[in-house]
Amino acid sequence: MDTKELLEILEQHKKWISNPETGSRAYLYGAYLYGANLCGADLRGADLRGAYLSGANLLGADLSGANLLGANLYGANLRGANGIVSFGPVGNEKRIGYAWIDADDKAVIMLGCHVGDLKTTVAAIRTKYGTKSTYEALVRAAVRELMRKE
């Protein structure tokens, strides 16, 4: 996928976020982001809320400051990507978790349907698993790694 095509997809997705009647969600196979080769792509600050990035190759991509709320990252290759880390499987459900840096340089953690900052994520984990769980330790380690990479 070339840069021009990627920029057009991101523009249409941005319009879709504002009004689904005027744009198109980034999810269809091929011309969209599902399974797309985005190796090394510059996605800094991109609004990818709700985008289907399942199976996408994001090897070495820069996602610093991107908004990934509700994005489907299942099976995406995030090796060497900046601004995001994946970790797991974690918890009873053996979920893969994701942590990224938002536009305000804060860590955001997504675990299944939970999305929150470190404080709210740890509180939710402690409610379900108690204090000092391996689940909490793994989330904290992922955030430390993410901040170290920045």
Side-chain angles (χ1 to χ4, degrees):
M1 175 177 303
D2 65 28
T3 302
K4 183 178 176 185
E5 186 179 11
L6 177 59
L7 291 173
E8 177 59 26
I9 291 167
L10 293 175
E11 182 60 33
Q12 289 301 312
H13 184 73
K14 191 177 195 178
K15 288 179 183 177
W16 173 83
I17 290 168
S18 298
N19 180 355
E21 303 289 324
T22 62
S24 58
R25 190 176 194 177
Y27 74 96
L28 298 174
Y29 182 78
Y32 293 92
L33 302 178
Y34 178 88
N37 183 7
L38 300 170
C39 184
D42 182 357
L43 296 167
R44 288 175 293 174
D47 192 342
L48 295 168
R49 288 178 286 172
Y52 285 98
L53 294 161
S54 181
N57 181 9
L58 292 159
L59 177 73
D62 192 346
L63 290 155
S64 301
N67 187 341
L68 295 162
L69 294 176
N72 182 337
L73 295 161
Y74 180 79
N77 178 4
L78 299 171
R79 285 185 305 235
N82 291 325
I84 189 168
V85 295
S86 63
F87 56 94
V90 295
N92 294 337
E93 296 83 12
K94 304 293 184 208
R95 290 191 174 111
I96 300 299
Y98 302 93
W100 65 85
I101 301 297
D102 67 12
D104 297 323
D105 291 325
K106 304 268 193 251
V108 178
I109 298 100
M110 182 168 64
L111 297 164
C113 62
H114 170 86
V115 178
D117 61 13
L118 183 59
K119 184 178 179 180
T120 58
T121 302
V122 167
I125 291 169
R126 287 181 176 179
T127 298
K128 188 168 183 176
Y129 296 99
T131 58
K132 306 221 181 204
S133 68
T134 53
Y135 197 162
E136 179 182 336
L138 187 56
V139 168
R140 288 183 180 280
V143 170
R144 274 193 308 275
E145 174 64 17
L146 179 63
M147 298 305 228
R148 186 182 68 76
K149 286 172 65 175
E150 287 297 303

